[in-house]
Amino acid sequence: MELYDNPASPFCRKVQVVLRETGQLDEVTPRFAVGSPTAPEQMPVAENPLGKIPALVRPGGATLYDSRVICRYLDQRAGAGLYPEPPALWDTLVLEATADGIMEAAVLMVYEARCRPEEIRHAPWVAGQWEKITRALDALEARWMAHLHGPFGMGQIAVGCALGYLDFRHGDRDWRGGRESLAAWFLKISERDSMAATLPA
Ligand code: BEZ
């Protein structure tokens, strides 16, 4: 299988962590992809019409995207159990969606600065993305700590990758302030081999 990948992308990191946690790292050949919505030339548009990464090309099967589909596929393929059976499954999927939403907003903030000429940047729009992130972080701190401290699975992987991306691209915004439980949990999960081996770069 070929994996369109970029070490800065938190969505790609989710897949890289799952590959390690499920013992499938040797089964994919990474293909470095770089680009943005305004410069998609090097993105895998033939494999994913949305031109987004990660995308997993499978011989004899449809190319898989986005990260949620790929992670679910890799988990099933290895029988690794990163997604529990219902009803616990619904919590895991909501947690993964919350983490992905943090990543989406955080990446959009980066794109605003990277892709949009300074004179047409819109500060309230950037502030709105960060508000979305802070609401999600507050929800994690208030309601999700028991789950995060429970059996390791896809929810923990996704939240770990989202927080790692905030450190990577938005380190000046102090996401830890007032969220001591989440910060302590993140410190611990960052020690896992799969997380330590996939730090954004
Ligand atoms: C980044 O440089 O932050 C980035 C790169 C690829 C995908 C998403 C984010």
Side-chain angles (χ1 to χ4, degrees):
M1 296 183 285
E2 290 184 355
L3 177 66
Y4 286 91
D5 187 38
N6 184 307
S9 161
F11 299 102
C12 292
R13 187 180 184 194
K14 283 171 65 188
V15 174
Q16 288 290 345
V17 171
V18 168
L19 285 170
R20 284 163 175 78
E21 292 285 348
T22 62
Q24 299 181 89
L25 192 56
D26 292 343
E27 309 216 17
V28 299
T29 305
R31 299 274 178 244
F32 181 73
V34 65
S36 71
T38 54
E41 294 82 7
Q42 296 175 53
M43 299 303 269
V45 289
E47 290 78 8
N48 175 357
L50 302 172
K52 294 170 92 173
I53 52 173
L56 183 68
V57 182
R58 300 176 302 153
T63 294
L64 300 184
Y65 53 86
D66 54 11
S67 68
R68 278 185 243 186
V69 176
I70 297 172
C71 290
R72 191 85 186 252
Y73 168 76
L74 291 172
D75 179 62
Q76 283 222 337
R77 187 172 186 267
L82 293 172
Y83 296 86
E85 292 298 317
L89 174 65
W90 310 122
D91 283 349
T92 294
L93 293 180
V94 171
L95 193 51
E96 184 178 11
T98 304
D100 283 11
I102 292 172
M103 296 177 199
E104 276 157 20
V107 169
L108 285 175
M109 289 169 70
V110 169
Y111 282 168
E112 175 80 1
R114 190 181 287 170
C115 306
R116 198 183 281 269
E118 198 163 355
E119 61 276 12
I120 57 168
R121 283 185 206 148
H122 190 47
W125 185 89
V126 175
Q129 298 303 327
W130 185 250
E131 277 171 30
K132 199 186 286 194
I133 292 169
T134 58
R135 282 196 304 271
L137 294 173
D138 287 342
L140 293 177
E141 176 80 9
R143 300 200 290 277
W144 287 95
M145 292 316 302
H147 182 115
L148 289 173
H149 284 292
F152 182 78
M154 199 58 222
Q156 285 88 344
I157 293 172
V159 173
C161 293
L163 298 179
Y165 189 73
L166 295 183
D167 276 348
F168 181 54
R169 290 292 187 215
H170 302 290
D172 54 334
R173 287 185 179 257
D174 184 28
W175 67 262
R176 290 172 177 78
R179 303 187 188 99
E180 285 71 23
S181 305
L182 189 60
W185 173 84
F186 179 61
L187 200 61
K188 192 86 195 125
I189 198 171
S190 300
E191 292 170 1
R192 282 184 88 92
D193 288 348
S194 61
M195 293 296 289
T198 57
L199 287 175

